[in-house]
Amino acid sequence: DMLLCAGATEFYCGIMPFEWANKYAVQVSTNRLAGEKYQFASFNSLTAIVEKIHSAGKKVYVSFDALYYTKDQLPYFPKYLNILKKLEIDGLLVSDVSLLLFLREEHFKFKIIMNGNAGIYNSRSLKYFRKFGVSRIIFPMDMTVSEIEKIIVLTSDPGLEYQAYISAERCL
């Protein structure tokens, strides 16, 4: 409620379902958040929040932005992604190329935001991710405004959204 009242228009959240946490513990998070208090533990609790945010006309993105997923972890994703599809979330935050490929191969249609952890430091890498349907890029936190501006100018893609964090090493 506080963030909605403050004017937030987009919300990023993580989910680590019980079956994932039971198998991998919180040390191998679905989204780099190490701890249950930093993310949703069930799709039921996420559903209530998504409904509340959507009823306010705002957007919800779910973060699956671990730096990598193993071949043993990817089979969990169809179930999770189908639930998120039914929830009509507004998109996914992704860092791992294997998950990006998985989404394309399995024909999941979500708005994809490529996280800064994917290492998008030049226009060529940005254009590469664009080929996979990425519609927004979050620049790495250590980039300067002039570096970001140069990449945007060189890319010249009016259909692509850009995002940069203004806080060092902590999302707000």
Side-chain angles (χ1 to χ4, degrees), residues 84-104:
L84 295 174
K85 188 176 176 181
K86 288 178 186 168
L87 285 176
E88 298 180 355
I89 62 145
D90 298 286
L92 300 174
L93 185 66
V94 176
S95 291
D96 179 35
V97 176
S98 69
L99 182 56
L100 190 62
L101 291 168
F102 179 85
L103 290 166
R104 185 171 77 172

Side-chain angles (χ1 to χ4, degrees), residues 140-169:
M141 291 183 188
D142 61 340
M143 291 185 74
T144 65
V145 173
S146 62
E147 290 169 331
I148 292 170
E149 183 179 42
K150 183 178 178 182
I151 292 171
I152 292 171
V153 169
L154 287 172
T155 305
S156 184
D157 186 341
L160 188 61
E161 298 174 358
Y162 306 98
Q163 182 174 334
Y165 290 116
I166 59 171
S167 62
E169 299 299 322

